[in-house]
Amino acid sequence: MAWTNEDVARQFAEIATLLKLSGADAFRVRAYERAAGAIGAAAADLSALDEAGMSQLKGIGTSTAKKISEYLQTGSIAMLDELRAGVPAGLIALTRIPGLGPKTARLLYDELGVDSVQALRTAIDEERLRGLPGLGPKTEVNLREALSRLGDKDTGRRPMADAIAIAEELCLRLARLPQVRQVTFAGSLRRLRETVGDVDVLAASDDPGPVHAAFRDSDLVTEVLAAGDKKTTVITRVGLQADLRVVEPDAWGAALVYFTGSKAHNVRVRERAVRRGLTLNEYGLFDPESGERRASRDEAEVYAAMGMALVPPPMREDAGEVEAAADGTLPRTVELAHVRGDLHGHSDWSGDGKATLEQMVAAAAERGYAYWAVTDHAEDLPMNGLSRERMLERRGAIAALQERYEMRILEGAELNIDADGGVDYDPDFLASFDWCVASVHTLMNRSGREQTARIVAAMQHPQVHAIGHLTGRIIGRRPPYDIDLDTILEAALRTQTALEINASPRRLDLSGEMVRRAVDAGVTLTISCDAHSVGDLASMRYGVATAQRGWATADRVLNCGDLDRILSFTQAKRT
DNA sequence: GCCGTTTTCGGCCCGACTGTTTTCAGTCG
């Protein structure tokens, strides 16, 4: 069995949770949380390292390395098994209730025998909580409400794509207030993570009272959870929690760093501040001796005052970026302005395209692209695919349209990788396309070995220039199918095939973590929207964010090059 | 449990809000 880094990281996250419930030393708990984070962010496959190699990773010492190899060899960790035996499984479920943490969960279990969410409901109904130290009637009411919210399936993490609309609407309304100088969403949404747990809104104002009031009273809000001078927490109409923080305009940069996170990134940055004899909070970077504020106005100033380069938000995950920003090795990652074209898009020539070829071409040209590849589905895709005859018809339409546009329209196709790695059409006809992306659309439940084999086989084809949405996942709806990434990266390099970062916010496939491994392996990437409508072309920013999360530079992204680079890439593959 | 630009031992990031408290612990981010 090949364990992935994520499997291993999950074991250590569980150890941390169980230790917390056991009342262990908080710093020891944090050490395990950090280890889990370090494992998840590791660029190399842990199973390829020995214990000495693992200990090289920050946050992993000899004890953790030993437990990792124990897990890789036996599939379990004795310490974790003991912890599980000592803590009722239901207690973990209790800590998922907002407002109920490990200390209270343990107290409820020890004093009242509460070992499940159902047992908690009963205890609250019988008013048995209010006798316990630190708990009173109000706590019972709050927990009862939290439990009823838990009943709605509308809570929990959401695909980022679902949260961004409400976040932008909240910001838009606050921006209209005369008291608001600046407003933006921060948190995991600003880092453009795949899923978000809540919406963090940050505003700058000299008069915060009316700003908090407007937020609380908005018709987008159904419930107010906390209301203070500096912070308001609400539940929005779509069931997502939203926090508003208002700071004085001079603190904007420090607050933005603070509320963008990630938490692990912030901890690392603040530790760095402490080592330099300073202290960093949401109001600024301070000299604790004199109380003098060294930096706070904008993000770049705050990072610079600590001797660091500005870190793009998607990279702020404590995956080595703090150290790199400090020692000058942070790569200049790809930016939206670097993107010269898009290499995966559809028109209504294929059944699922929602706009005409002309509308798509016009929209792509308006974005200033030098080229846009129309990659309608090929004949093997039931319902939506184009026969050879229809493709030839489309060729005429492209040629006619090309006369009116300076932007190069690349005649492309999205090919279907069949069970054995074969693709649509015959080799001669395929050779007449400018650009082909090949994707898996069927048989998604095959084993990892079979999926890997069929994708590697498809890459051998001289007319397969890129592999589309490599894992097939739909965030929040369909898990990725299994693949052996190392084998695929090696084959991509050998066959000179690009791997697509699908920019659709529902896919983001490759993930940021996979991008980073592809970058380390030297594989060429594309960032493409897989647009099925004009509006989809705006998703490019999500693909760029995912590339940044994976530390990709513009020179590694094929469509950050000019048209000649695309043509010489396909030419090289052909020969 | 991890780690070192004062340290191989003794620290380990910081603040807001709430509910229960007469000064603070727990939770959250």
Side-chain angles (χ1 to χ4, degrees), chain A residues 183-228:
Chain A
V183 60
T184 185
F185 54 82
S188 50
L189 204 51
R190 180 164 183 251
R191 303 200 308 282
L192 289 176
R193 277 199 53 174
E194 299 163 1
T195 62
V196 300
D198 65 0
V199 173
D200 293 298
V201 177
L202 177 66
S205 174
D206 292 312
D207 184 13
V211 185
H212 284 289
F215 190 72
R216 280 197 309 271
D217 299 339
S218 163
D219 61 345
L220 298 173
V221 166
T222 56
E223 194 180 346
V224 178
L225 296 184

Short mmCIF file of all heavy atoms in Angstrom, two decimals, chain A residues 183-228:
data_model
loop_
_atom_site.label_atom_id
_atom_site.label_comp_id
_atom_site.label_asym_id
_atom_site.label_seq_id
_atom_site.Cartn_x
_atom_site.Cartn_y
_atom_site.Cartn_z
N VAL A 183 -12.40 48.46 2.17
CA VAL A 183 -13.02 47.21 2.61
C VAL A 183 -12.64 46.10 1.64
O VAL A 183 -12.52 46.33 0.44
CB VAL A 183 -14.57 47.36 2.72
CG1 VAL A 183 -15.19 47.74 1.39
CG2 VAL A 183 -15.21 46.09 3.27
N THR A 184 -12.41 44.92 2.18
CA THR A 184 -12.10 43.77 1.33
C THR A 184 -12.40 42.51 2.11
O THR A 184 -12.56 42.54 3.33
CB THR A 184 -10.62 43.75 0.89
OG1 THR A 184 -10.42 42.67 -0.03
CG2 THR A 184 -9.70 43.53 2.09
N PHE A 185 -12.51 41.38 1.42
CA PHE A 185 -12.59 40.12 2.16
C PHE A 185 -11.18 39.59 2.35
O PHE A 185 -10.30 39.82 1.51
CB PHE A 185 -13.51 39.10 1.49
CG PHE A 185 -13.20 38.79 0.06
CD1 PHE A 185 -12.21 37.90 -0.28
CD2 PHE A 185 -13.95 39.40 -0.95
CE1 PHE A 185 -11.93 37.61 -1.61
CE2 PHE A 185 -13.67 39.12 -2.29
CZ PHE A 185 -12.66 38.23 -2.61
N ALA A 186 -10.94 38.95 3.46
CA ALA A 186 -9.61 38.42 3.78
C ALA A 186 -9.74 36.91 4.02
O ALA A 186 -10.53 36.25 3.36
CB ALA A 186 -9.04 39.16 4.99
N GLY A 187 -8.96 36.38 4.93
CA GLY A 187 -9.09 34.97 5.30
C GLY A 187 -8.81 34.02 4.14
O GLY A 187 -8.15 34.37 3.15
N SER A 188 -9.34 32.80 4.27
CA SER A 188 -9.05 31.76 3.28
C SER A 188 -9.63 32.14 1.91
O SER A 188 -9.16 31.66 0.89
CB SER A 188 -9.60 30.41 3.74
OG SER A 188 -10.94 30.53 4.13
N LEU A 189 -10.63 33.01 1.92
CA LEU A 189 -11.21 33.44 0.64
C LEU A 189 -10.21 34.31 -0.13
O LEU A 189 -10.08 34.18 -1.34
CB LEU A 189 -12.50 34.21 0.92
CG LEU A 189 -13.52 34.25 -0.21
CD1 LEU A 189 -13.83 32.87 -0.74
CD2 LEU A 189 -14.80 34.92 0.27
N ARG A 190 -9.50 35.19 0.57
CA ARG A 190 -8.49 36.01 -0.11
C ARG A 190 -7.32 35.15 -0.55
O ARG A 190 -6.68 35.43 -1.56
CB ARG A 190 -8.01 37.14 0.80
CG ARG A 190 -6.96 38.03 0.13
CD ARG A 190 -6.77 39.35 0.84
NE ARG A 190 -5.82 40.17 0.14
CZ ARG A 190 -4.58 40.45 0.59
NH1 ARG A 190 -4.17 39.98 1.76
NH2 ARG A 190 -3.77 41.19 -0.13
N ARG A 191 -7.03 34.11 0.20
CA ARG A 191 -5.98 33.18 -0.23
C ARG A 191 -6.47 32.26 -1.34
O ARG A 191 -5.73 31.45 -1.87
CB ARG A 191 -5.48 32.34 0.96
CG ARG A 191 -4.98 33.16 2.13
CD ARG A 191 -4.07 32.37 3.05
NE ARG A 191 -4.62 31.10 3.51
CZ ARG A 191 -5.53 30.95 4.47
NH1 ARG A 191 -5.99 32.00 5.10
NH2 ARG A 191 -5.97 29.76 4.81
N LEU A 192 -7.75 32.39 -1.67
CA LEU A 192 -8.40 31.58 -2.71
C LEU A 192 -8.16 30.09 -2.50
O LEU A 192 -7.80 29.36 -3.43
CB LEU A 192 -7.98 32.04 -4.11
CG LEU A 192 -8.55 33.40 -4.50
CD1 LEU A 192 -8.01 33.85 -5.85
CD2 LEU A 192 -10.07 33.38 -4.53
N ARG A 193 -8.38 29.67 -1.27
CA ARG A 193 -8.33 28.23 -1.00
C ARG A 193 -9.51 27.54 -1.67
O ARG A 193 -10.50 28.15 -2.02
CB ARG A 193 -8.36 27.97 0.50
CG ARG A 193 -6.98 28.08 1.13
CD ARG A 193 -6.95 27.39 2.46
NE ARG A 193 -7.43 26.02 2.36
CZ ARG A 193 -7.40 25.16 3.36
NH1 ARG A 193 -6.93 25.51 4.52
NH2 ARG A 193 -7.84 23.93 3.19
N GLU A 194 -9.42 26.22 -1.82
CA GLU A 194 -10.46 25.48 -2.54
C GLU A 194 -11.80 25.54 -1.83
O GLU A 194 -12.85 25.60 -2.45
CB GLU A 194 -10.03 24.01 -2.67
CG GLU A 194 -8.75 23.86 -3.44
CD GLU A 194 -8.10 22.52 -3.21
OE1 GLU A 194 -8.67 21.68 -2.47
OE2 GLU A 194 -7.03 22.30 -3.79
N THR A 195 -11.75 25.46 -0.50
CA THR A 195 -12.98 25.55 0.28
C THR A 195 -12.75 26.56 1.39
O THR A 195 -11.62 26.79 1.80
CB THR A 195 -13.35 24.20 0.92
OG1 THR A 195 -12.31 23.81 1.82
CG2 THR A 195 -13.55 23.11 -0.12
N VAL A 196 -13.83 27.14 1.87
CA VAL A 196 -13.71 28.10 2.97
C VAL A 196 -14.72 27.77 4.05
O VAL A 196 -15.80 27.26 3.78
CB VAL A 196 -13.92 29.55 2.48
CG1 VAL A 196 -12.89 29.92 1.44
CG2 VAL A 196 -15.32 29.76 1.95
N GLY A 197 -14.34 28.05 5.30
CA GLY A 197 -15.22 27.76 6.42
C GLY A 197 -16.08 28.96 6.79
O GLY A 197 -17.17 28.81 7.33
N ASP A 198 -15.61 30.16 6.50
CA ASP A 198 -16.39 31.36 6.77
C ASP A 198 -15.86 32.49 5.89
O ASP A 198 -14.92 32.30 5.13
CB ASP A 198 -16.31 31.75 8.25
CG ASP A 198 -14.90 32.15 8.67
OD1 ASP A 198 -13.99 32.14 7.81
OD2 ASP A 198 -14.70 32.49 9.84
N VAL A 199 -16.52 33.63 5.99
CA VAL A 199 -16.11 34.81 5.23
C VAL A 199 -15.57 35.84 6.21
O VAL A 199 -16.27 36.20 7.16
CB VAL A 199 -17.31 35.39 4.45
CG1 VAL A 199 -16.92 36.71 3.80
CG2 VAL A 199 -17.80 34.41 3.41
N ASP A 200 -14.35 36.30 6.01
CA ASP A 200 -13.77 37.35 6.85
C ASP A 200 -13.77 38.65 6.07
O ASP A 200 -13.17 38.72 4.99
CB ASP A 200 -12.32 36.99 7.23
CG ASP A 200 -12.27 35.77 8.13
OD1 ASP A 200 -12.82 35.85 9.23
OD2 ASP A 200 -11.69 34.74 7.71
N VAL A 201 -14.43 39.64 6.62
CA VAL A 201 -14.46 40.94 5.96
C VAL A 201 -13.69 41.93 6.82
O VAL A 201 -13.86 41.96 8.04
CB VAL A 201 -15.91 41.43 5.76
CG1 VAL A 201 -15.92 42.82 5.15
CG2 VAL A 201 -16.68 40.46 4.89
N LEU A 202 -12.82 42.71 6.18
CA LEU A 202 -12.02 43.71 6.88
C LEU A 202 -12.35 45.09 6.33
O LEU A 202 -12.39 45.27 5.11
CB LEU A 202 -10.53 43.41 6.68
CG LEU A 202 -9.57 44.42 7.32
CD1 LEU A 202 -9.67 44.38 8.83
CD2 LEU A 202 -8.14 44.14 6.87
N ALA A 203 -12.60 46.02 7.24
CA ALA A 203 -12.88 47.39 6.81
C ALA A 203 -11.99 48.36 7.58
O ALA A 203 -11.60 48.08 8.72
CB ALA A 203 -14.35 47.74 7.05
N ALA A 204 -11.66 49.48 6.95
CA ALA A 204 -10.90 50.55 7.62
C ALA A 204 -11.82 51.74 7.80
O ALA A 204 -12.48 52.17 6.86
CB ALA A 204 -9.69 50.94 6.78
N SER A 205 -11.89 52.24 9.04
CA SER A 205 -12.77 53.37 9.32
C SER A 205 -12.34 54.07 10.60
O SER A 205 -11.84 53.43 11.52
CB SER A 205 -14.22 52.88 9.46
OG SER A 205 -15.05 53.95 9.87
N ASP A 206 -12.57 55.39 10.67
CA ASP A 206 -12.33 56.14 11.90
C ASP A 206 -13.55 56.10 12.81
O ASP A 206 -13.49 56.53 13.95
CB ASP A 206 -12.01 57.61 11.57
CG ASP A 206 -10.66 57.72 10.87
OD1 ASP A 206 -9.70 57.12 11.36
OD2 ASP A 206 -10.59 58.39 9.82
N ASP A 207 -14.64 55.60 12.28
CA ASP A 207 -15.90 55.61 13.03
C ASP A 207 -16.57 54.24 12.88
O ASP A 207 -17.49 54.06 12.08
CB ASP A 207 -16.79 56.73 12.46
CG ASP A 207 -18.08 56.87 13.26
OD1 ASP A 207 -18.18 56.29 14.36
OD2 ASP A 207 -19.00 57.55 12.75
N PRO A 208 -16.09 53.23 13.63
CA PRO A 208 -16.51 51.85 13.38
C PRO A 208 -17.95 51.53 13.77
O PRO A 208 -18.54 50.60 13.22
CB PRO A 208 -15.53 51.02 14.22
CG PRO A 208 -14.96 51.96 15.22
CD PRO A 208 -15.03 53.33 14.63
N GLY A 209 -18.53 52.30 14.68
CA GLY A 209 -19.86 51.97 15.18
C GLY A 209 -20.89 51.75 14.08
O GLY A 209 -21.52 50.68 14.01
N PRO A 210 -21.09 52.73 13.20
CA PRO A 210 -22.09 52.57 12.14
C PRO A 210 -21.75 51.44 11.17
O PRO A 210 -22.66 50.85 10.57
CB PRO A 210 -22.03 53.92 11.41
CG PRO A 210 -21.43 54.88 12.39
CD PRO A 210 -20.51 54.08 13.24
N VAL A 211 -20.47 51.13 11.03
CA VAL A 211 -20.07 50.06 10.10
C VAL A 211 -20.52 48.72 10.67
O VAL A 211 -21.13 47.89 9.97
CB VAL A 211 -18.55 50.08 9.88
CG1 VAL A 211 -18.17 49.05 8.82
CG2 VAL A 211 -18.08 51.47 9.47
N HIS A 212 -20.26 48.50 11.95
CA HIS A 212 -20.71 47.26 12.59
C HIS A 212 -22.23 47.17 12.56
O HIS A 212 -22.79 46.11 12.30
CB HIS A 212 -20.21 47.20 14.04
CG HIS A 212 -18.77 46.85 14.16
ND1 HIS A 212 -18.29 45.59 13.88
CD2 HIS A 212 -17.68 47.59 14.50
CE1 HIS A 212 -16.97 45.57 14.06
NE2 HIS A 212 -16.58 46.77 14.43
N ALA A 213 -22.89 48.31 12.80
CA ALA A 213 -24.35 48.31 12.83
C ALA A 213 -24.91 47.93 11.46
O ALA A 213 -25.85 47.13 11.36
CB ALA A 213 -24.86 49.68 13.27
N ALA A 214 -24.34 48.50 10.41
CA ALA A 214 -24.83 48.22 9.06
C ALA A 214 -24.64 46.74 8.72
O ALA A 214 -25.49 46.12 8.07
CB ALA A 214 -24.10 49.10 8.05
N PHE A 215 -23.55 46.19 9.17
CA PHE A 215 -23.25 44.78 8.92
C PHE A 215 -24.29 43.90 9.63
O PHE A 215 -24.88 43.00 9.02
CB PHE A 215 -21.83 44.49 9.42
CG PHE A 215 -21.28 43.14 9.04
CD1 PHE A 215 -20.90 42.86 7.74
CD2 PHE A 215 -21.11 42.16 10.00
CE1 PHE A 215 -20.37 41.64 7.39
CE2 PHE A 215 -20.58 40.93 9.66
CZ PHE A 215 -20.21 40.66 8.36
N ARG A 216 -24.50 44.21 10.93
CA ARG A 216 -25.47 43.42 11.73
C ARG A 216 -26.86 43.49 11.14
O ARG A 216 -27.58 42.50 11.10
CB ARG A 216 -25.55 44.00 13.15
CG ARG A 216 -24.46 43.61 14.08
CD ARG A 216 -24.89 43.89 15.51
NE ARG A 216 -25.39 45.25 15.75
CZ ARG A 216 -24.63 46.28 16.11
NH1 ARG A 216 -23.33 46.10 16.26
NH2 ARG A 216 -25.14 47.45 16.31
N ASP A 217 -27.24 44.68 10.68
CA ASP A 217 -28.63 44.90 10.28
C ASP A 217 -28.89 44.57 8.81
O ASP A 217 -30.02 44.72 8.34
CB ASP A 217 -29.01 46.38 10.53
CG ASP A 217 -28.90 46.71 12.01
OD1 ASP A 217 -28.93 45.77 12.81
OD2 ASP A 217 -28.78 47.92 12.35
N SER A 218 -27.86 44.13 8.11
CA SER A 218 -28.02 43.84 6.69
C SER A 218 -29.07 42.75 6.47
O SER A 218 -29.20 41.82 7.28
CB SER A 218 -26.68 43.38 6.11
OG SER A 218 -26.89 42.73 4.87
N ASP A 219 -29.81 42.85 5.36
CA ASP A 219 -30.79 41.80 5.08
C ASP A 219 -30.11 40.52 4.57
O ASP A 219 -30.78 39.53 4.33
CB ASP A 219 -31.83 42.31 4.07
CG ASP A 219 -31.20 42.69 2.75
OD1 ASP A 219 -29.97 42.84 2.69
OD2 ASP A 219 -31.94 42.86 1.76
N LEU A 220 -28.79 40.56 4.44
CA LEU A 220 -28.05 39.33 4.08
C LEU A 220 -27.77 38.49 5.32
O LEU A 220 -27.27 37.38 5.23
CB LEU A 220 -26.71 39.69 3.43
CG LEU A 220 -26.79 40.48 2.12
CD1 LEU A 220 -25.40 40.91 1.67
CD2 LEU A 220 -27.45 39.64 1.04
N VAL A 221 -28.09 39.05 6.52
CA VAL A 221 -27.75 38.42 7.78
C VAL A 221 -29.00 37.87 8.45
O VAL A 221 -30.03 38.54 8.53
CB VAL A 221 -27.07 39.45 8.71
CG1 VAL A 221 -27.00 38.94 10.14
CG2 VAL A 221 -25.66 39.78 8.19
N THR A 222 -28.92 36.62 8.94
CA THR A 222 -30.07 36.03 9.60
C THR A 222 -29.89 35.92 11.11
O THR A 222 -30.86 35.74 11.83
CB THR A 222 -30.36 34.62 9.05
OG1 THR A 222 -29.16 33.84 9.19
CG2 THR A 222 -30.76 34.67 7.60
N GLU A 223 -28.64 35.99 11.58
CA GLU A 223 -28.41 35.80 13.01
C GLU A 223 -27.11 36.47 13.41
O GLU A 223 -26.13 36.43 12.67
CB GLU A 223 -28.33 34.29 13.30
CG GLU A 223 -28.43 33.94 14.76
CD GLU A 223 -28.34 32.44 14.99
OE1 GLU A 223 -28.48 31.67 14.00
OE2 GLU A 223 -28.10 32.06 16.13
N VAL A 224 -27.09 37.10 14.58
CA VAL A 224 -25.87 37.73 15.10
C VAL A 224 -25.32 36.87 16.22
O VAL A 224 -26.01 36.61 17.20
CB VAL A 224 -26.16 39.16 15.61
CG1 VAL A 224 -24.89 39.78 16.18
CG2 VAL A 224 -26.72 40.02 14.48
N LEU A 225 -24.09 36.41 16.06
CA LEU A 225 -23.51 35.52 17.06
C LEU A 225 -22.69 36.27 18.10
O LEU A 225 -22.61 35.88 19.25
CB LEU A 225 -22.61 34.47 16.39
CG LEU A 225 -23.28 33.49 15.45
CD1 LEU A 225 -22.28 32.46 14.93
CD2 LEU A 225 -24.45 32.77 16.12
N ALA A 226 -22.03 37.35 17.66
CA ALA A 226 -21.23 38.13 18.61
C ALA A 226 -21.16 39.55 18.09
O ALA A 226 -21.07 39.78 16.88
CB ALA A 226 -19.82 37.55 18.73
N ALA A 227 -21.23 40.52 19.00
CA ALA A 227 -21.20 41.91 18.58
C ALA A 227 -20.38 42.72 19.56
O ALA A 227 -20.79 42.91 20.71
CB ALA A 227 -22.63 42.46 18.50
N GLY A 228 -19.20 43.17 19.14
CA GLY A 228 -18.36 44.00 20.00
C GLY A 228 -18.01 45.30 19.29
O GLY A 228 -18.56 45.61 18.24
#
